[in-house]
Amino acid sequence: MTHEDLGHLLVDAQRIAALPDDTRLDFIEAGECWIGYPRAEAILTRLHKVFVYGPNRVRPPNVLLVAPSNNGKSTLIERFRRDHDAPPDAGDDAEAEVMPVVVVQMPTEPTVSRFYAVLLDELGAPSIRRIGRGARKHDLERLALDILKSVGTRVLVIDELHNLLAGRRDDRLEFLNLLRYLGNALRIPIVGAGTRDAHFAIRTDPQLENRFEPLALPLWEPGAETATLIASFTASLPLRRPSPDLCRAGTLRGIIERTGGTIGEILTLMRAAAVIAIESGEEAITPATLEGAAYLGPDERRFRLEHDLPRSAAA
Ligand SMILES: Nc1ncnc2c1ncn2[C@@H]1O[C@H](COP(=O)(O)OP(=O)(O)O)[C@@H](O)[C@H]1O
Ligand SMILES: [Mg+2]
């Protein structure tokens, strides 16, 4: 097979497409590559501006990235963090920024102490046990702030911010106060990411709500953007024939209906269809390989689970 035959693929995928089936299947299962799409690129551009111009302002700009679960928030944040990683030799220079972007997950038990514990962990601080079990919030806060300053953090990202809504109202208010305080004390932008519940949680404090610029990653719909996303993704899958039928309106509608329209589910379906395409020798994703794909969408999974659970367990 010549490389001209694989012109529908990206260069890396062309190389892999020439390899045996087992290797290609492994690649499809394991492959985690970034797919750029216009909304993600626009948000990354905005975050880059926040990173460059936000720190040291009297009121650093904050961002709230809102999207349904499985729709690409954490992947986008990881991309942002990597794009702004410190150069490898930064650690040698005492003044250098060694952790320009720090990402923490809002704990499922959303208290201020738990938050500082995960933040300190992310910063590589001595574990809470070594600081002392009786360490007061105040001590944890001092330590976290000192480290954030010393590693030159320019943006603090708090992912899974919707967990805040699950907490007690008092804890939530205390945490929102902390957000305000952190921004002021460090003079760095804060980026929150979460589902709509993150927005509801922030709204508990109207003043704080005004300080967060909302950016959304909406569900995917049958249309040109989704067709382009799917085309970009198929160009990275090592199949030996092109898959031109996927951009038809009916096919797109079927994909969105089945997956619920999140990027995570759409890519999972495409991967499952690519597996069938290799196993069947079809070598392209077609309506038939989509049909035959070993994939259950969120609705089907829920239905199966409810159906399979014995009544006693479901009760
Ligand atoms: N831009 C992207 N490129 C490639 N894969 C992506 C992209 N965005 C999301 N995904 C995939 O979709 C799935 C869900 O994404 P994730 O970022 O975890 O969603 P969320 O944080 O919104 O729940 C992950 O498996 C991830 O690999
Ligand atoms: Mg996530």
Side-chain angles (χ1 to χ4, degrees):
M1 179 167 293
T2 68
H3 270 202
E4 277 91 293
D5 295 325
L6 299 172
H8 58 287
L9 296 180
L10 299 172
V11 176
D12 280 355
Q14 289 185 8
R15 191 174 44 78
I16 295 156
L19 300 175
D21 289 3
D22 279 356
T23 316
R24 293 192 292 148
L25 290 168
D26 282 349
F27 175 84
I28 290 170
E29 299 289 355
E32 285 265 312
C33 67
W34 166 258
I35 304 165
Y37 51 94
R39 270 179 201 275
E41 300 298 346
I43 292 175
L44 286 171
T45 303
R46 177 71 194 123
L47 292 179
H48 177 68
K49 286 230 169 86
V50 163
F51 176 91
V52 174
Y53 302 112
N56 299 319
R57 297 245 295 261
V58 177
R59 255 194 195 205
N62 299 319
V63 168
L64 186 62
L65 176 60
V66 184
S69 133
N70 218 359
N71 209 26
K73 299 179 293 296
S74 302
T75 307
L76 191 149
I77 282 164
E78 181 53 20
R79 179 84 180 176
F80 169 61
R81 193 188 63 72
R82 267 197 233 166
D83 285 350
H84 297 87
D85 235 352
D89 54 358
D92 304 342
D93 175 356
E95 293 289 298
E97 296 171 354
V98 289
M99 288 182 87
V101 176
V102 170
V103 181
V104 284
Q105 311 260 326
M106 189 67 201
T108 43
E109 185 200 328
T111 62
V112 166
S113 314
R114 290 290 308 139
F115 173 77
Y116 277 128
V118 293
L119 176 57
L120 285 168
D121 200 40
E122 184 60 35
L123 293 169
S127 77
I128 299 299
R129 231 168 291 128
R130 279 183 36 216
I131 299 168
R133 257 201 170 293
R136 286 176 304 141
K137 263 183 242 172
H138 178 77
D139 301 323
L140 300 177
E141 179 172 289
R142 262 272 55 83
L143 186 60
L145 260 60
D146 285 350
I147 300 178
L148 284 169
K149 279 183 191 151
S150 70
V151 298
T153 300
R154 297 180 69 88
V155 174
L156 173 64
V157 184
I158 308 173
D159 197 0
E160 308 280 323
L161 195 60
H162 46 257
N163 284 340
L164 197 50
L165 200 66
R168 293 175 23 226
R169 188 179 157 82
D170 286 355
D171 286 337
R172 193 185 326 145
L173 289 172
E174 189 185 3
F175 186 82
L176 294 177
N177 260 330
L178 165 93
L179 276 189
R180 255 196 232 205
Y181 170 75
L182 275 183
N184 291 338
L186 294 164
R187 295 245 177 130
I188 59 170
I190 294 174
V191 174
T195 61
R196 281 176 97 91
D197 282 354
H199 187 222
F200 292 139
I202 295 268
R203 263 176 31 188
T204 315
D205 180 338
Q207 261 188 322
L208 200 61
E209 186 192 7
N210 286 333
R211 292 200 199 170
F212 276 84
E213 173 191 2
L215 298 177
L217 284 171
L219 285 176
W220 294 77
E221 289 175 4
E225 278 186 42
T226 304
T228 309
L229 174 80
I230 289 175
S232 313
F233 190 54
T234 42
S236 73
L237 294 170
L239 301 179
R240 292 173 183 158
R241 292 177 47 225
S243 306
D245 293 343
L246 294 174
C247 58
R248 290 203 186 138
T251 312
L252 284 178
R253 215 174 310 117
I255 291 173
I256 296 298
E257 271 169 20
R258 203 163 154 201
T259 57
T262 59
I263 190 170
E265 293 290 339
I266 295 171
L267 301 188
T268 302
L269 168 60
M270 301 310 288
R271 277 200 193 92
V275 168
I276 299 289
I278 291 179
E279 287 174 349
S280 66
E282 185 85 36
E283 291 296 336
I285 299 180
T286 63
T289 49
L290 283 170
E291 189 67 36
Y295 167 85
L296 289 180
D299 286 348
E300 289 168 286
R301 290 199 296 267
R302 206 168 302 123
F303 177 79
R304 288 272 174 112
L305 182 69
E306 277 162 21
H307 186 261
D308 291 350
L309 273 183
R311 272 179 203 288
S312 56

